[in-house]
Structure formats: C-alpha cells, structure tokens
Amino acid sequence: MFWQWFRNNGPVTPARLSRPDRAAGLAHPLPRPGGLRRRRLGMWALLLAALMLALPATGAQAVPRHPQSVAAAQEAANPPQHGNEDRLGRPTTTPLGSFGGIRYVQYDGVFEGRTTTGRFRVPYRISAPAEPHRSNGSVLVEPPHFVVGLGALNVYFGKDFLFRRGFVHAAVGWSTLGNRILDPSVPGTFIDGGIEEDGARVDDEIITDFAKALSSGGRSMVGKVSRKYVTGFSDSSYPILRLVHSGAAAGVFDLAVPITTEGFDPQADLVAGRFDGKIVIVNSEADDSTNLPDRGVALNRYRFYVVAGSPHIPDPLDAPLDLPFPVRQTTPASFVPALRAHFLQGHDWVRKESSPPTSTQLRTQNGTVVRDAVGNAITEDRTGRRVPRLPFVELGEARYISGFVGSYDNVRNVQQLGFSSHEAYANAFAAEVRAYQKARYILPEDADDMRRRARLCPPLTFTETYRDHYTEFVAIQPCAAAAR
C-alpha cells in the first residue's frame, strides 16, 4: 500500500530543480510555463522535507521494496546486447489481492533499450489481472512523480477503483531525479539519452517506448491491449504534455489525463494535428489554468475541468491516521471525486464516443475570479452557464481557500446557514449532492460517501465534522455521542 511504503521508506531527496529548455529526446523547445510552476516544484521539495522529518525511515534505511536476485545483479552488470531493440526484462511477481473478484499481481522488472538520444535501463512496474483475459483491455501508463511516485494509482484513483474495473496499470522510470526513476533500489539503472537536469537525466521518450512495448513483449503480463491511456499529476503531468506537444504521443495513447497541470496549450497541439487521441484535464482552483479553458476548437477531443475551492494537494483521506502526513485536516475540498468521474467518462469517450460533460472553468471578470458572498469561486461551463460546485461549497459552509496546500475559515453551523434543524440541513446537502451527480461531476459511490459524512455527527455540518471529528469523518463512522 502506498502509505505503508511512505512509512517504511520515505521519498528520495531530489536534486535542486530546474526546467529543461527542450523536451527529453526531442528537438521541440518546451512551452514555458512561467515561474509559478517552478515555485510549485519548490513547494513539493519543501513538502518532501516535511515528509522526511515526519517519517521514521528513509530510503537508505529501509528494506528494498522487492528482492533483487543474484541473477538480476549480474544482468545489471552485464546488460544483454540487443542493438536498438527495447526489452521488458523478466519480472518478479507479487500477489496484490482480489479486487471485485479479479485477482491482481504486480510485475517488477527492468526495461532497457535505446531512445533516439541514447540508451537506458530503468525499472518498470505493471499491475494486472493474474488471468490476463480478465482485464478490460485498457492500460493506464503513469510516469512517476519525483516526490510521490505513483500518486495517481495510490492516492487519486486508488487500486480498488481501477482494478475492480479491470484496468491494467503500468509505470516506468523516465528520469533519474528522485522517485521519477520509479524504484531507486533497483541496481544498474541509468539514462544516457534525453537531457541533463541539474545532475539528473530526463528522457520523456522512454514513456512512449514503454507503452509500445506493452503491446508486444508485455502481452504475457497485460494480455490483449485495446487502448492505452496516460496520466500524471503536477510534476508527472509535464512529460505527458511535452509528448503531446512534440507529436511523440500520437499513435501511442488514446487518452491523456493530465492532473493539476499548467503552462501548456494542448488545444493548439490538437488543432495542429500533433496528437490524435483525446485529452481530459482536471485541475484544482490553485493551478494556473491560463491556456487550458476549453476554447471550443477541439470539442470532439478535449475537455477541461476545474474544481472550485480545491488545493493543488488535497487531503488524502485514505492515509492511515497514525501517519503524520503534512496535508491531513487541511481542507475537505478536493478535486478527486471529479477526477474519478471524468476519468471514467474519458474511458467511455474512447470506447463508445460517449461525450463527457461540457468543460468547466472559473468565472472571471476583468481577469479576476468571481466569488460568491462567502468568498468561494463560482464555476461555469464553457458557455458561461453556472454549474454545481462541491455540495458543501455550494451551501457556503465555509470559505474554502485554495493554494498549494488548502485551508478554510469562516465555518458556519446549521443555524448560521439558515436551517431550522440538522435534518433540514442534511436534506439540503443531499439535494446539492444530487445536483453535483446529475452534472456528472461525481460517481454514485463517492456521492454516497459524501451524503453519509454530512449525517455523521448531528448537529454538525459536513465541514464541522471534518474539523472536529476527523477520525470519524475519514472512517465514515458515526460519532460516539451526538455533538453538542
């Protein structure tokens, strides 16, 4: 489990961060996202430092995540010579358990070969049904984040969400900076190509080469591959959009799902014919979405969604309560329910040409975000029609402050919200949940959890319960005694 890994290992300390001028292995200059992205990466580094202080073991002190055999060490010292052919090395296999009646296993191995700029030998990890025919034919590729690693799998989507639906998840090291390498404990890894980034190597092309290899050398692990998707968040979203911009992702990925990203203009890339798949982007209010709102130039292949009140890093409610994660109890506002819904809509878009909801954006006036009387940003669709926000935001339970890490203030109780009783409040909350679900911004399972949390601790609201009874809120357990 992701949180157990953090407890045992801690992340790897990255080198000082900078942004390369050119995409790894590609001749196209990178779009310049500006200083906000650099500051955000710096904040990730500060969060990393906080994690290192909070966790009892560092990567150097911890047991390796999977055993390395003598044969693997010998292979690292004497890699096979296969010319320019990329190769998925023989993996170790670890059972992951059953998800919705589907047994999953994890394959850890080494992917080696040569991109257009140089040789590489990097770890890969594939999570797939033990019986490959039980997959849904869709592989989700994730380049690891330099701090969090596979955060899309382990934090935002979650194994249960993906695996009970039959998705295959596949990850590969694409840079030697921090946890972008996927598994720093694997011996003999290197990246010769790409570009240098403050003492580390970055080669985006490894990601597309790996995705291609899954359909050939990876068939025994992943089964028949009908569709390939790619996702990443913040730091790990940038190689995805660089590959889209360069044209290297064309013909490889059917769907790209960058999360909490900025600094690119993928609509221009779609119009220019540099990518032939579909793109669904989900951002927090905190992200600089300047170039991302839907301009209507690629309606059959582009969607953008933003969640008012949500921070760049939301509270990961599934983290064990004994783990001092730095963003615990910061804010209940999160883009994750919308992300999960829009990902499945993107999946259906690829499979059945079933269009997702109209793109959303924050309402602005003269370049300034328009806010309601409580101070929360107003959301509209691309046509300017106001659309539902998170139910507790819509009711005005507090002012939800976005940022790298979020917060909230001006919390109001049931009476201050204008309700005569907690039952009247809970009914109004349920109505807002129905509106949010009808707009297709949340899945039924997440909507049910949200409704239940609003009723846990009468007479407290959803937000008051988050603030005052966090343990019960996370576990969705009624308070031991009614709150007074």
Side-chain angles (χ1 to χ4, degrees), residues 69-384:
S69 66
V70 173
Q74 291 174 341
E75 185 180 42
N78 301 285
Q81 300 300 314
H82 292 283
N84 292 335
E85 181 183 353
D86 296 337
R87 187 176 77 90
L88 292 166
R90 185 169 55 192
T92 59
T93 306
T94 305
L96 291 177
S98 181
F99 301 85
I102 305 175
R103 286 190 305 110
Y104 266 72
V105 294
Q106 177 176 295
Y107 300 102
D108 287 285
V110 169
F111 180 51
E112 57 186 317
R114 183 185 297 273
T115 65
T116 57
T117 57
R119 295 178 60 241
F120 63 86
R121 186 179 193 275
V122 295
Y124 74 82
R125 179 170 299 158
I126 296 171
S127 301
E131 302 170 286
H133 71 274
R134 300 204 64 184
S135 84
N136 66 10
S138 304
V139 177
L140 180 61
V141 175
E142 179 182 0
H145 185 282
F146 87 99
V147 173
V148 185
L150 303 182
L153 170 66
N154 294 309
V155 182
Y156 294 147
F157 292 124
K159 289 187 174 71
D160 184 70
F161 172 80
L162 291 173
F163 295 166
R164 62 189 164 88
R165 292 175 168 89
F167 287 98
V168 172
H169 182 274
V172 67
W174 58 283
S175 167
T176 57
L177 179 63
N179 283 325
R180 289 176 180 172
I181 196 63
L182 179 62
D183 187 345
S185 72
V186 174
T189 59
F190 63 86
I191 296 174
D192 286 343
I195 55 95
E196 186 270 340
E197 186 179 18
D198 287 342
R201 302 298 303 178
V202 176
D203 194 343
D204 299 339
E205 197 178 341
I206 294 173
I207 300 167
T208 48
D209 284 1
F210 174 66
K212 294 172 186 176
L214 293 173
S215 299
S216 52
R219 285 289 296 272
S220 62
M221 294 179 278
V222 303
K224 181 182 178 181
V225 178
S226 301
R227 296 164 292 273
K228 293 176 189 170
Y229 308 153
V230 62
T231 191
F233 60 100
S234 191
D235 168 74
S236 58
S237 73
Y238 302 135
I240 297 171
L241 290 174
R242 290 197 296 260
L243 290 166
V244 167
H245 179 70
S246 70
V252 180
F253 296 113
D254 302 286
L255 173 68
V257 186
I259 308 163
T260 57
T261 195
E262 61 192 16
F264 297 84
D265 188 0
Q267 293 174 90
D269 298 324
L270 290 171
V271 171
R274 288 189 280 266
F275 183 57
D276 53 358
K278 302 181 188 299
I279 299 175
V280 174
I281 297 176
V282 179
N283 266 9
S284 74
E285 181 184 329
D287 299 301
D288 180 4
S289 301
T290 302
N291 295 323
L292 300 175
D294 193 336
R295 302 192 293 272
V297 297
L299 291 177
N300 62 335
R301 289 193 288 147
Y302 183 79
R303 290 293 187 276
F304 170 75
Y305 304 100
V306 61
V307 179
S310 61
H312 187 71
I313 305 180
D315 182 344
L317 296 177
D318 69 332
L321 291 174
D322 63 340
L323 182 65
F325 199 66
V327 295
R328 184 186 309 286
Q329 266 183 300
T330 50
T331 178
S334 173
F335 58 80
V336 171
L339 169 65
R340 288 155 57 99
H342 295 319
F343 171 74
L344 291 184
Q345 291 156 8
H347 175 52
D348 286 341
W349 203 11
V350 172
R351 290 190 309 138
K352 302 184 295 187
E353 287 295 328
S354 174
S355 295
T358 303
S359 296
T360 64
Q361 59 199 25
L362 299 179
R363 178 169 291 177
T364 60
Q365 186 173 16
N366 299 323
T368 301
V369 174
V370 176
R371 300 186 178 276
D372 61 21
V374 180
N376 294 313
I378 293 174
T379 310
E380 61 185 18
D381 67 18
R382 61 169 297 272
T383 71

